[in-house]
Amino acid sequence: MAYLDNSATTQPCASAIDAMVRCMREGFYNPSSVYRPAVDAFRAVRDCHELLLRAVHGENCDLIFTSGGTEANNLAILGAVHRMRGPQVVAVSAVEHPSVREAFEQLRAEGHDVRVIGVDPQGALNWEQLERALDDGASLVSCMQVNNETGALLDAARLHRTVNGRALIHVDGVQGFLRVPFEMKYADMYTLSGHKIHGPKGIGALIVKKGVRLAPRQIGGGQESGMRSGTENTPGIAGLRAAAEELMRMQSTLGAELMQKKLHLIEAFRRAVPELLINGPESELAAPHIVNISFPGVRGEVMLHALEAEGVYASTGSACSSKKLKVSGVLTAMGIRPDRAEWALRFSLSPHTTIEEIDDAAEKLGAIYATLKRFKRR
Protein backbone atom coordinates (compact mmCIF):
# COMPACT_ATOMS: atom_id res chain seq x y z
CA MET A 1 0.00 0.00 0.00
CA ALA A 2 1.09 3.57 -0.72
CA TYR A 3 -0.83 6.13 1.32
CA LEU A 4 -0.29 9.48 -0.40
CA ASP A 5 -3.30 11.39 0.93
CA ASN A 6 -1.94 12.89 4.15
CA SER A 7 -3.65 16.22 3.52
CA ALA A 8 -6.98 14.44 3.96
CA THR A 9 -5.90 12.86 7.23
CA THR A 10 -2.84 11.28 8.79
CA GLN A 11 -2.35 8.03 10.63
CA PRO A 12 -2.23 8.74 14.38
CA CYS A 13 1.28 8.23 15.71
CA ALA A 14 1.92 5.62 18.41
CA SER A 15 2.66 8.26 21.06
CA ALA A 16 -0.70 9.96 20.41
CA ILE A 17 -2.59 6.69 20.69
CA ASP A 18 -0.75 5.78 23.90
CA ALA A 19 -1.43 9.20 25.40
CA MET A 20 -5.14 8.94 24.62
CA VAL A 21 -5.47 5.46 26.07
CA ARG A 22 -3.61 6.52 29.21
CA CYS A 23 -5.86 9.56 29.57
CA MET A 24 -9.03 7.50 29.20
CA ARG A 25 -7.84 4.87 31.66
CA GLU A 26 -6.13 7.01 34.28
CA GLY A 27 -6.76 10.70 33.61
CA PHE A 28 -10.45 10.64 32.77
CA TYR A 29 -11.38 13.28 35.36
CA ASN A 30 -13.26 16.47 34.50
CA PRO A 31 -10.79 19.39 34.41
CA SER A 32 -13.45 21.67 35.93
CA SER A 33 -13.67 19.63 39.14
CA VAL A 34 -11.61 20.66 42.18
CA TYR A 35 -10.13 17.46 43.61
CA ARG A 36 -6.54 16.48 42.96
CA PRO A 37 -6.92 14.09 39.97
CA ALA A 38 -9.15 16.64 38.24
CA VAL A 39 -6.61 19.38 38.90
CA ASP A 40 -4.01 17.14 37.26
CA ALA A 41 -6.30 16.83 34.23
CA PHE A 42 -6.64 20.63 34.16
CA ARG A 43 -2.86 21.00 34.24
CA ALA A 44 -2.49 18.56 31.34
CA VAL A 45 -4.90 20.68 29.29
CA ARG A 46 -3.00 23.83 30.26
CA ASP A 47 0.33 22.24 29.31
CA CYS A 48 -1.00 21.48 25.83
CA HIS A 49 -2.19 25.09 25.54
CA GLU A 50 1.32 26.29 26.31
CA LEU A 51 3.01 23.82 23.96
CA LEU A 52 0.87 24.80 20.97
CA LEU A 53 1.38 28.50 21.64
CA ARG A 54 5.15 28.02 21.76
CA ALA A 55 5.01 26.25 18.40
CA VAL A 56 3.83 29.46 16.70
CA HIS A 57 5.57 31.98 18.97
CA GLY A 58 2.21 32.92 20.43
CA GLU A 59 3.45 34.45 23.68
CA ASN A 60 0.82 37.20 23.54
CA CYS A 61 -2.03 34.87 22.56
CA ASP A 62 -4.80 32.73 23.97
CA LEU A 63 -5.84 29.31 22.68
CA ILE A 64 -9.31 27.84 22.39
CA PHE A 65 -9.68 24.09 21.91
CA THR A 66 -12.33 23.11 19.35
CA SER A 67 -13.59 19.94 17.70
CA GLY A 68 -11.29 20.53 14.73
CA GLY A 69 -10.30 22.91 11.96
CA THR A 70 -13.84 23.54 10.70
CA GLU A 71 -15.14 24.69 14.07
CA ALA A 72 -12.02 26.78 14.67
CA ASN A 73 -12.39 28.51 11.28
CA ASN A 74 -16.08 29.16 11.93
CA LEU A 75 -15.33 30.58 15.38
CA ALA A 76 -12.63 32.86 14.00
CA ILE A 77 -14.62 34.24 11.06
CA LEU A 78 -18.19 34.33 12.36
CA GLY A 79 -17.11 35.00 15.92
CA ALA A 80 -15.03 38.01 14.94
CA VAL A 81 -17.61 39.61 12.63
CA HIS A 82 -20.49 39.00 15.01
CA ARG A 83 -18.69 41.09 17.64
CA MET A 84 -18.45 44.03 15.22
CA ARG A 85 -21.16 46.66 14.87
CA GLY A 86 -23.23 46.81 11.71
CA PRO A 87 -22.56 45.47 8.22
CA GLN A 88 -18.89 44.83 7.52
CA VAL A 89 -16.61 44.65 4.50
CA VAL A 90 -14.68 41.36 4.75
CA ALA A 91 -12.13 39.76 2.44
CA VAL A 92 -11.31 36.13 1.70
CA SER A 93 -9.07 34.51 -0.88
CA ALA A 94 -10.64 32.65 -3.79
CA VAL A 95 -8.95 29.34 -2.94
CA GLU A 96 -10.07 28.65 0.61
CA HIS A 97 -11.23 25.44 2.27
CA PRO A 98 -15.05 24.97 2.40
CA SER A 99 -15.06 25.66 6.16
CA VAL A 100 -13.79 29.16 5.42
CA ARG A 101 -15.58 29.72 2.14
CA GLU A 102 -18.99 28.73 3.52
CA ALA A 103 -18.51 30.88 6.62
CA PHE A 104 -18.07 33.88 4.34
CA GLU A 105 -21.13 32.85 2.34
CA GLN A 106 -23.09 32.94 5.59
CA LEU A 107 -21.77 36.44 6.25
CA ARG A 108 -22.85 37.45 2.74
CA ALA A 109 -26.35 36.10 3.45
CA GLU A 110 -26.42 38.18 6.64
CA GLY A 111 -25.81 41.34 4.63
CA HIS A 112 -22.06 41.78 4.92
CA ASP A 113 -19.99 42.85 1.89
CA VAL A 114 -17.74 39.89 1.03
CA ARG A 115 -14.78 40.61 -1.26
CA VAL A 116 -13.22 37.53 -2.87
CA ILE A 117 -9.52 38.11 -3.52
CA GLY A 118 -8.25 36.38 -6.64
CA VAL A 119 -4.99 34.48 -7.07
CA ASP A 120 -2.52 34.00 -9.90
CA PRO A 121 -1.62 30.61 -11.51
CA GLN A 122 0.89 30.03 -8.72
CA GLY A 123 -1.77 30.60 -6.06
CA ALA A 124 -0.39 33.96 -4.88
CA LEU A 125 -2.86 36.63 -3.75
CA ASN A 126 -3.86 39.49 -5.99
CA TRP A 127 -2.42 42.17 -3.73
CA GLU A 128 -4.09 45.04 -5.62
CA GLN A 129 -7.53 43.52 -5.04
CA LEU A 130 -6.72 43.10 -1.35
CA GLU A 131 -5.54 46.70 -1.12
CA ARG A 132 -8.82 47.91 -2.66
CA ALA A 133 -10.82 45.90 -0.14
CA LEU A 134 -8.80 47.40 2.69
CA ASP A 135 -9.24 50.91 1.28
CA ASP A 136 -12.99 50.24 1.30
CA GLY A 137 -12.83 49.47 5.01
CA ALA A 138 -12.37 45.68 5.23
CA SER A 139 -12.34 44.65 8.87
CA LEU A 140 -11.37 40.98 8.44
CA VAL A 141 -9.07 39.21 5.97
CA SER A 142 -8.86 35.40 5.83
CA CYS A 143 -6.27 33.36 3.91
CA MET A 144 -4.84 29.88 4.27
CA GLN A 145 -1.19 29.34 5.19
CA VAL A 146 -0.77 26.35 2.87
CA ASN A 147 -3.26 25.64 0.13
CA ASN A 148 -4.70 22.19 0.76
CA GLU A 149 -4.83 21.27 -2.94
CA THR A 150 -1.68 22.78 -4.47
CA GLY A 151 0.68 23.48 -1.56
CA ALA A 152 0.85 27.19 -2.49
CA LEU A 153 2.30 29.18 0.40
CA LEU A 154 0.88 32.37 1.86
CA ASP A 155 3.34 35.25 2.06
CA ALA A 156 2.30 35.96 5.64
CA ALA A 157 4.84 38.74 6.13
CA ARG A 158 3.58 40.61 3.07
CA LEU A 159 -0.03 40.07 4.14
CA HIS A 160 0.78 41.56 7.54
CA ARG A 161 2.53 44.56 5.95
CA THR A 162 -0.31 45.12 3.49
CA VAL A 163 -3.04 45.01 6.12
CA ASN A 164 -0.94 47.17 8.45
CA GLY A 165 -3.40 47.01 11.33
CA ARG A 166 -6.43 48.05 9.28
CA ALA A 167 -8.20 44.68 9.67
CA LEU A 168 -8.04 41.47 11.64
CA ILE A 169 -6.03 38.73 9.93
CA HIS A 170 -7.19 35.12 10.14
CA VAL A 171 -4.85 32.43 8.82
CA ASP A 172 -6.13 28.89 8.31
CA GLY A 173 -3.05 26.92 9.34
CA VAL A 174 -4.59 23.45 9.17
CA GLN A 175 -2.36 22.30 6.29
CA GLY A 176 0.71 24.18 7.50
CA PHE A 177 0.95 23.80 11.27
CA LEU A 178 4.28 22.22 12.26
CA ARG A 179 5.16 21.42 8.63
CA VAL A 180 5.74 25.01 7.51
CA PRO A 181 6.99 27.53 10.12
CA PHE A 182 4.59 30.25 11.25
CA GLU A 183 4.73 33.08 13.77
CA MET A 184 1.71 34.74 15.35
CA LYS A 185 3.23 38.18 14.81
CA TYR A 186 1.75 37.89 11.29
CA ALA A 187 -1.83 37.09 12.28
CA ASP A 188 -4.55 37.81 14.82
CA MET A 189 -6.10 34.33 14.60
CA TYR A 190 -4.65 30.99 13.51
CA THR A 191 -6.37 27.63 13.08
CA LEU A 192 -4.94 24.13 13.54
CA SER A 193 -6.25 20.56 13.52
CA GLY A 194 -5.05 17.42 15.28
CA HIS A 195 -5.69 14.81 12.63
CA LYS A 196 -3.51 16.59 10.07
CA ILE A 197 -0.40 16.17 12.26
CA HIS A 198 -0.76 12.50 13.30
CA GLY A 199 -3.07 13.26 16.19
CA PRO A 200 -6.71 12.20 16.59
CA LYS A 201 -9.76 13.47 14.77
CA GLY A 202 -12.19 15.60 16.77
CA ILE A 203 -9.65 18.02 18.24
CA GLY A 204 -8.33 21.32 16.95
CA ALA A 205 -7.65 24.81 18.18
CA LEU A 206 -7.96 28.49 17.42
CA ILE A 207 -5.06 30.66 18.54
CA VAL A 208 -6.15 34.26 19.16
CA LYS A 209 -4.09 37.34 19.95
CA LYS A 210 -4.99 38.89 23.27
CA GLY A 211 -7.45 41.72 22.78
CA VAL A 212 -9.22 40.18 19.78
CA ARG A 213 -12.92 39.97 20.60
CA LEU A 214 -15.02 37.01 19.49
CA ALA A 215 -18.66 36.06 19.91
CA PRO A 216 -18.76 32.42 21.09
CA ARG A 217 -20.45 29.94 18.79
CA GLN A 218 -21.08 27.43 21.58
CA ILE A 219 -22.40 28.52 24.98
CA GLY A 220 -23.04 26.76 28.25
CA GLY A 221 -20.69 26.05 31.12
CA GLY A 222 -18.08 28.66 30.25
CA GLN A 223 -15.12 26.41 29.46
CA GLU A 224 -12.25 27.82 27.37
CA SER A 225 -12.72 31.24 29.01
CA GLY A 226 -16.33 31.25 27.88
CA MET A 227 -15.39 30.97 24.22
CA ARG A 228 -16.20 27.29 23.70
CA SER A 229 -18.39 25.74 26.36
CA GLY A 230 -18.46 22.00 26.92
CA THR A 231 -16.34 19.59 28.93
CA GLU A 232 -12.89 19.48 27.39
CA ASN A 233 -11.99 16.57 25.13
CA THR A 234 -9.12 15.51 27.36
CA PRO A 235 -8.19 12.33 25.44
CA GLY A 236 -8.13 14.32 22.20
CA ILE A 237 -6.03 17.04 23.81
CA ALA A 238 -3.62 14.41 25.14
CA GLY A 239 -3.28 12.91 21.66
CA LEU A 240 -2.83 16.33 20.05
CA ARG A 241 -0.12 17.21 22.54
CA ALA A 242 1.79 13.97 21.93
CA ALA A 243 1.57 14.35 18.15
CA ALA A 244 2.70 17.98 18.30
CA GLU A 245 5.62 17.08 20.56
CA GLU A 246 6.73 14.41 18.10
CA LEU A 247 6.68 16.79 15.11
CA MET A 248 8.36 19.54 17.13
CA ARG A 249 11.25 17.20 17.85
CA MET A 250 11.68 16.79 14.07
CA GLN A 251 11.55 20.52 13.29
CA SER A 252 15.20 20.99 12.37
CA THR A 253 15.04 18.45 9.53
CA LEU A 254 11.35 17.90 8.77
CA GLY A 255 10.90 20.46 6.01
CA ALA A 256 13.99 19.35 4.10
CA GLU A 257 13.08 15.66 4.42
CA LEU A 258 9.53 16.22 3.19
CA MET A 259 10.78 18.31 0.27
CA GLN A 260 13.26 15.59 -0.68
CA LYS A 261 10.44 13.06 -0.74
CA LYS A 262 8.20 15.36 -2.77
CA LEU A 263 10.89 16.02 -5.37
CA HIS A 264 11.58 12.28 -5.54
CA LEU A 265 7.86 11.66 -6.12
CA ILE A 266 7.73 14.20 -8.93
CA GLU A 267 10.83 12.74 -10.59
CA ALA A 268 9.60 9.15 -10.25
CA PHE A 269 6.12 10.04 -11.51
CA ARG A 270 7.58 11.99 -14.43
CA ARG A 271 9.64 8.99 -15.48
CA ALA A 272 6.46 6.91 -15.38
CA VAL A 273 4.31 9.54 -17.11
CA PRO A 274 6.45 12.08 -19.03
CA GLU A 275 3.34 14.02 -20.08
CA LEU A 276 2.30 14.94 -16.52
CA LEU A 277 1.71 18.59 -15.60
CA ILE A 278 2.35 20.21 -12.20
CA ASN A 279 -0.37 22.59 -11.08
CA GLY A 280 0.47 25.55 -8.87
CA PRO A 281 3.80 26.96 -7.74
CA GLU A 282 7.26 25.73 -8.64
CA SER A 283 7.74 22.60 -6.56
CA GLU A 284 10.54 23.99 -4.41
CA LEU A 285 8.60 27.21 -3.76
CA ALA A 286 5.54 25.38 -2.42
CA ALA A 287 4.89 23.48 0.78
CA PRO A 288 7.14 20.43 1.11
CA HIS A 289 4.37 17.87 1.48
CA ILE A 290 1.76 18.64 -1.23
CA VAL A 291 1.88 18.41 -5.02
CA ASN A 292 -0.98 18.64 -7.51
CA ILE A 293 -0.50 16.77 -10.79
CA SER A 294 -2.59 16.52 -13.97
CA PHE A 295 -2.40 13.41 -16.13
CA PRO A 296 -3.45 14.58 -19.62
CA GLY A 297 -6.41 12.80 -21.15
CA VAL A 298 -7.40 10.87 -18.01
CA ARG A 299 -10.02 12.20 -15.62
CA GLY A 300 -8.76 12.51 -12.08
CA GLU A 301 -11.67 10.50 -10.70
CA VAL A 302 -10.90 7.61 -13.08
CA MET A 303 -7.20 7.70 -12.23
CA LEU A 304 -8.02 7.89 -8.51
CA HIS A 305 -10.05 4.67 -8.55
CA ALA A 306 -7.58 2.87 -10.82
CA LEU A 307 -4.78 3.70 -8.36
CA GLU A 308 -6.98 2.67 -5.45
CA ALA A 309 -7.44 -0.77 -7.01
CA GLU A 310 -3.65 -1.11 -6.87
CA GLY A 311 -3.37 0.07 -3.26
CA VAL A 312 -2.29 3.63 -4.01
CA TYR A 313 -4.34 6.33 -2.27
CA ALA A 314 -4.49 9.95 -3.41
CA SER A 315 -7.21 12.60 -3.76
CA THR A 316 -8.94 14.75 -6.35
CA GLY A 317 -8.84 17.72 -3.94
CA SER A 318 -10.21 18.71 -0.56
CA ALA A 319 -11.55 15.65 1.25
CA CYS A 320 -14.39 17.86 2.50
CA SER A 321 -15.65 18.55 -1.02
CA SER A 322 -14.21 15.83 -3.27
CA LYS A 323 -17.54 13.95 -3.32
CA LYS A 324 -19.37 17.07 -4.50
CA LEU A 325 -17.18 18.69 -7.15
CA LYS A 326 -16.23 17.34 -10.57
CA VAL A 327 -13.62 20.05 -11.16
CA SER A 328 -11.64 21.74 -8.40
CA GLY A 329 -12.77 25.27 -7.67
CA VAL A 330 -9.27 26.00 -6.39
CA LEU A 331 -7.64 25.10 -9.71
CA THR A 332 -10.31 26.98 -11.63
CA ALA A 333 -9.70 30.09 -9.50
CA MET A 334 -6.00 29.82 -10.37
CA GLY A 335 -6.86 30.07 -14.06
CA ILE A 336 -6.12 26.45 -14.90
CA ARG A 337 -8.03 25.17 -17.94
CA PRO A 338 -11.11 23.08 -17.10
CA ASP A 339 -9.78 19.97 -18.88
CA ARG A 340 -6.43 20.17 -17.08
CA ALA A 341 -8.24 20.69 -13.77
CA GLU A 342 -10.37 17.64 -14.52
CA TRP A 343 -7.19 15.55 -14.97
CA ALA A 344 -5.76 16.57 -11.59
CA LEU A 345 -4.90 14.55 -8.50
CA ARG A 346 -3.36 15.70 -5.23
CA PHE A 347 -0.57 13.72 -3.59
CA SER A 348 0.42 14.58 -0.03
CA LEU A 349 3.20 13.20 2.13
CA SER A 350 4.07 12.80 5.79
CA PRO A 351 7.24 12.11 7.78
CA HIS A 352 6.24 8.44 7.67
CA THR A 353 5.94 8.24 3.87
CA THR A 354 8.74 6.06 2.51
CA ILE A 355 10.68 6.23 -0.74
CA GLU A 356 9.61 2.63 -1.33
CA GLU A 357 5.94 3.66 -1.18
CA ILE A 358 6.59 6.43 -3.68
CA ASP A 359 8.49 4.16 -6.08
CA ASP A 360 5.79 1.51 -5.85
CA ALA A 361 3.15 4.13 -6.62
CA ALA A 362 5.15 5.41 -9.59
CA GLU A 363 5.49 1.94 -11.07
CA LYS A 364 1.77 1.30 -10.79
CA LEU A 365 0.97 4.77 -12.08
CA GLY A 366 2.94 4.24 -15.26
CA ALA A 367 1.13 1.03 -16.13
CA ILE A 368 -2.28 2.48 -15.28
CA TYR A 369 -1.76 5.64 -17.32
CA ALA A 370 -0.52 3.69 -20.34
CA THR A 371 -3.80 1.76 -20.28
CA LEU A 372 -6.17 4.61 -19.51
CA LYS A 373 -4.83 7.16 -21.97
CA ARG A 374 -5.83 4.85 -24.83
CA PHE A 375 -9.43 5.64 -23.90
CA LYS A 376 -8.96 9.42 -24.05
CA ARG A 377 -12.25 11.15 -24.84
CA ARG A 378 -12.40 12.93 -28.20
Side-chain angles (χ1 to χ4, degrees):
M1 184 188 81
Y3 182 68
L4 304 177
D5 196 21
N6 289 276
S7 287
T9 196
T10 56
Q11 181 179 13
C13 60
S15 62
I17 296 170
D18 291 345
M20 294 178 70
V21 170
R22 188 164 56 250
C23 180
M24 287 187 283
R25 284 180 173 162
E26 303 167 11
F28 58 86
Y29 305 92
N30 190 321
S32 297
S33 297
V34 295
Y35 37 81
R36 178 58 184 272
V39 172
D40 290 341
F42 169 81
R43 287 174 176 160
V45 170
R46 182 192 61 194
D47 289 347
C48 186
H49 267 255
E50 294 173 354
L51 176 80
L52 298 176
L53 290 176
R54 286 199 302 273
V56 292
H57 304 278
E59 295 80 8
N60 190 38
C61 298
D62 295 316
L63 182 143
I64 304 160
F65 284 116
T66 67
S67 62
T70 291
E71 184 189 343
N73 282 333
N74 275 241
L75 176 58
I77 296 160
L78 301 176
V81 174
H82 289 169
R83 280 302 299 263
M84 300 173 183
R85 292 185 178 178
Q88 301 295 312
V89 177
V90 291
V92 61
S93 94
V95 291
E96 294 302 307
H97 185 271
S99 64
V100 168
R101 188 172 64 247
E102 293 301 320
F104 277 89
E105 286 305 312
Q106 180 172 323
L107 291 176
R108 191 193 302 277
E110 293 172 0
H112 300 284
D113 183 355
V114 176
R115 307 291 179 86
V116 178
I117 308 303
V119 296
D120 66 17
Q122 284 71 50
L125 286 175
N126 184 318
W127 298 102
E128 292 182 1
Q129 288 183 9
L130 176 59
E131 189 65 55
R132 286 197 293 272
L134 291 164
D135 287 344
D136 289 342
S139 55
L140 173 68
V141 177
S142 182
C143 304
M144 63 200 331
Q145 180 193 6
V146 172
N147 187 270
N148 57 310
E149 294 191 33
T150 67
L153 294 171
L154 172 68
D155 187 341
R158 183 172 180 180
L159 176 63
H160 183 258
R161 289 196 306 271
T162 301
V163 172
N164 194 28
R166 290 178 284 176
L168 293 176
I169 297 174
H170 166 245
V171 173
D172 177 357
V174 166
Q175 292 292 346
F177 181 60
L178 293 181
R179 288 143 295 171
V180 176
F182 189 82
E183 298 183 30
M184 280 302 296
K185 67 182 180 180
Y186 297 127
D188 298 288
M189 297 177 284
Y190 182 83
T191 303
L192 62 95
S193 175
H195 77 104
K196 307 294 190 181
I197 61 164
H198 303 280
K201 297 175 183 66
I203 188 68
L206 175 65
I207 297 174
V208 186
K209 266 188 185 162
K210 292 184 185 297
V212 173
R213 302 173 68 195
L214 300 175
R217 304 288 297 164
Q218 187 164 311
I219 58 176
Q223 289 87 349
E224 297 299 291
S225 301
M227 295 310 305
R228 204 274 184 179
S229 291
T231 301
E232 294 86 348
N233 175 8
T234 50
I237 292 168
L240 172 58
R241 176 184 176 183
E245 286 175 332
E246 186 166 302
L247 282 190
M248 289 171 75
R249 287 193 292 270
M250 302 179 185
Q251 284 301 286
S252 62
T253 60
L254 179 60
E257 290 177 359
L258 285 171
M259 182 61 76
Q260 183 180 25
K261 290 176 183 178
K262 185 174 87 165
L263 295 177
H264 181 88
L265 181 148
I266 293 169
E267 181 181 352
F269 281 22
R270 201 183 295 280
R271 285 197 301 268
V273 181
E275 305 97 316
L276 69 77
L277 303 166
I278 305 294
N279 300 312
E282 293 281 340
S283 299
E284 293 186 78
L285 300 179
H289 58 295
I290 299 173
V291 61
N292 192 291
I293 302 175
S294 288
F295 300 97
V298 178
R299 290 174 53 209
E301 186 178 358
V302 174
M303 179 67 80
L304 176 74
H305 291 300
L307 288 170
E308 176 194 359
E310 295 295 328
V312 178
Y313 301 103
S315 173
T316 53
S318 170
C320 296
S321 59
S322 59
K323 294 181 180 178
K324 303 174 188 175
L325 298 176
K326 293 294 184 182
V327 177
S328 164
V330 168
L331 298 183
T332 301
M334 292 167 58
I336 291 172
R337 298 192 326 260
D339 57 348
R340 179 168 170 172
E342 192 178 28
W343 303 331
L345 287 182
R346 177 190 68 186
F347 300 89
S348 45
L349 312 176
S350 85
H352 307 293
T353 305
T354 66
I355 296 297
E356 290 74 22
E357 281 182 280
I358 293 170
D359 289 343
D360 178 59
E363 181 180 348
K364 291 171 178 175
L365 173 69
I368 289 168
Y369 184 73
T371 299
L372 293 179
K373 72 177 181 179
R374 297 203 300 266
F375 301 99
K376 179 178 178 180
R377 290 186 295 175
R378 301 294 180 185

